[in-house]
Amino acid sequence: MTSVLLIKNARLVDGSQDRPSDPLDVVIEGNLIREVGPGLASGAGTVIDLAGRTLMPGLIDCHVHVIASTPDLGANAELPNSLVALRAARIMHGMLMRGFTTVRDLGGADHGLVQAIEEGLIAAPRLVICGKALSQTGGHTDYRGRNHSRPVDYYAERLGTLGRICDGVDAVRRACREEIKGGARFIKIMANGGVSSPTDPIAFLGFSRDEVRAAVEEAESAQTYVAAHLYTDAAIRRALACGVVSIEHGNLVTAETARLIREAGAFVVPTNVTFEALARDGAALGLPPESVAKIEDVREAGLAALATLSDAGVLMAYGSDLLGDMHRHQSEEFVIRGRVLPAAAAIRSATLDAAKALRMEGRIGTVAPGAFADLVAVDGNPLEDLALLTGQGRHMSLIVKDGAVVKQSARF
């Protein structure tokens, strides 16, 4: 018999308004929301009275790396697959306890982790994967360094590596097809230099235009899209012209390019918290010196980019992009965005806008009939204090994922 759960006296905050709703009830049947409105009765099952607490959709993080248990990503790639998987399970459980019920992995996680979650083997958010991110030789996710000549085929079966190397149009096509066959829901390419990799300054362009277009064509053929690691304005413009839809980071974007992003129907996933955390903790936690030196190139520009993108009307989804022990800072992105954006916009980036970015609008990021029953109850009003969404979920008295209660305060 399908279980029924009635949540009563909730004030909804989903980022669509600048104040909580009037009290309402939510009826959950199985893993879906059946009804939403005042004065509802479930007819049977369990009743939880929120007594006026804030109710939110389950939060969505659109840029994570669940297999990254250390900031030294070259070392992470050397770890045994079994250890990587178990550490990933712990990392994802922490995300769930922070109220994130869906996460999009931008490089590393495989379908085995997705299947383990779907089978209930581990308590974790819903996981949307790209498989391995694609990089050219010497690009972002090529962690071999100047003096390491090991063939890249060595990394093919390593769960702990974020990406794979492919050079040339044919190799890119094959890599895209293999990742999609392996369960990828979208394609990720490294189209700019990065902080964590050793031989690619931030301004480097990744892949030729023909290679980027090949990835876009393969993704579109599979009814999906390309997400690209991008920082510089020139790289963003180039990627847009080639058909990239999801711009990851975007720290150095200009106002004119932001307008082009909006006109193209693309979106951006800023990840400011990772630069704050890397600047503060990266070296102590194992980030190599050559990577630490690159952080300031993009950190300060990130906050300015939030305002630039907002002024242009660009859809911005929530992203954290944290590594190793820095995963604990995941929710602090809300507070960082709140320095520049209204609280409702910061929240919407992890609910309604994130759902649009993941092409799951109406299924996640909303409290509405037919959506997955992913819900978070917060003690207090996050529209007045975004810090209520931080603290490892200490202010979250109820977390429901897929209709199952995964955390419930003894105060109910």
Side-chain angles (χ1 to χ4, degrees):
M1 183 176 179
T2 303
S3 62
V4 178
L5 170 64
L6 172 61
I7 297 176
K8 296 185 66 66
N9 297 318
R11 293 184 178 273
L12 179 63
V13 169
D14 62 5
S16 64
Q17 304 289 334
D18 61 3
R19 61 181 60 85
S21 73
D22 293 334
L24 53 76
D25 304 335
V26 180
V27 178
I28 296 169
E29 186 170 359
N31 71 331
L32 300 176
I33 296 172
R34 191 178 76 193
E35 294 179 85
V36 178
L40 299 180
S42 64
T46 304
V47 178
I48 298 176
D49 191 337
L50 293 189
R53 290 178 176 86
T54 298
L55 183 68
M56 302 179 66
L59 302 174
I60 305 163
D61 191 332
C62 292
H63 193 125
V64 302
H65 296 287
V66 303
I67 55 89
S69 62
T70 171
D72 186 340
L73 296 174
N76 201 81
E78 301 291 340
L79 297 173
N81 289 355
S82 54
L83 180 61
V84 173
L86 290 171
R87 286 182 175 178
R90 183 176 64 182
I91 288 168
M92 288 189 287
H93 182 262
M95 293 176 175
L96 183 60
M97 291 300 103
R98 296 180 203 110
F100 289 93
T101 54
T102 300
V103 297
R104 184 179 69 145
D105 190 272
L106 268 290
D110 68 359
H111 185 68
L113 291 175
V114 175
Q115 190 170 346
I117 295 167
E118 291 176 347
E119 292 181 4
L121 299 178
I122 55 177
R126 185 177 295 102
L127 183 61
V128 178
I129 67 169
C130 67
K132 299 301 183 188
L134 310 187
S135 170
Q136 69 174 44
T137 294
H140 198 42
T141 77
D142 188 345
Y143 294 101
R144 293 174 297 171
R146 301 290 183 199
N147 303 314
H148 197 325
S149 58
R150 172 183 282 163
V152 294
D153 291 347
Y154 167 82
Y155 297 99
E157 299 301 324
R158 305 208 69 81
L159 180 58
T161 185
L162 267 66
R164 59 187 292 181
I165 308 302
C166 47
D167 295 304
V169 168
D170 289 346
V172 168
R173 288 191 185 280
R174 183 179 183 89
C176 290
R177 292 171 184 178
E178 287 178 349
E179 294 304 334
I180 291 166
K181 171 186 174 294
R185 299 265 297 275
F186 63 102
I187 294 296
K188 165 75 177 299
I189 65 172
M190 300 303 191
N192 227 170
V195 169
S196 62
S197 42
T199 58
D200 57 330
I202 296 297
F204 270 29
L205 297 177
F207 292 120
S208 68
R209 288 177 175 82
D210 286 344
E211 288 170 319
V212 176
R213 291 189 188 103
V216 169
E217 183 178 16
E218 292 300 325
E220 290 177 347
S221 294
Q223 307 299 297
T224 188
Y225 63 94
V226 170
H229 165 95
L230 294 161
Y231 288 125
T232 67
D233 199 66
I236 294 168
R237 282 174 172 257
R238 180 173 178 259
L240 278 175
C242 293
V244 168
V245 169
S246 177
I247 296 164
E248 307 302 312
H249 316 301
N251 296 50
L252 303 174
V253 69
T254 64
E256 185 178 354
T257 300
R259 178 181 57 80
L260 294 176
I261 294 170
R262 186 197 69 240
E263 291 174 355
F267 61 90
V268 179
V269 185
T271 59
N272 292 287
V273 69
T274 193
F275 306 112
E276 298 275 344
L278 285 169
R280 185 173 59 244
D281 304 330
L285 293 174
L287 189 70
E290 60 267 25
S291 296
V292 173
K294 300 184 198 178
I295 295 169
E296 291 306 318
D297 292 345
V298 291
R299 184 169 74 94
E300 287 298 326
L303 285 177
L306 290 176
T308 298
L309 293 164
S310 178
D311 289 346
V314 174
L315 187 147
M316 286 185 281
Y318 191 97
S320 59
D321 191 30
L322 293 159
L323 311 171
D325 288 345
M326 289 177 279
H327 283 292
R328 69 185 186 276
H329 300 301
Q330 182 180 23
S331 305
E332 293 167 24
E333 178 76 13
F334 285 110
V335 177
I336 293 171
R337 295 192 185 200
R339 298 174 193 164
V340 180
L341 305 174
I347 291 169
R348 189 172 66 248
S349 73
T351 56
L352 299 165
D353 286 351
K356 289 180 184 177
L358 268 60
R359 300 187 175 182
M360 297 180 70
E361 194 172 2
R363 300 291 281 165
I364 59 174
T366 185
V367 180
F372 289 118
D374 300 341
L375 303 166
V376 176
V378 180
D379 298 332
N381 180 3
L383 289 168
E384 296 178 351
D385 183 6
L386 286 167
L388 291 172
L389 302 178
T390 68
Q392 312 308 312
R394 71 166 60 98
H395 305 291
M396 297 175 177
S397 47
L398 178 71
I399 300 174
V400 178
K401 184 237 171 172
D402 236 5
V405 176
V406 296
K407 176 184 176 182
Q408 184 174 353
S409 169
R411 296 190 296 275
F412 288 122

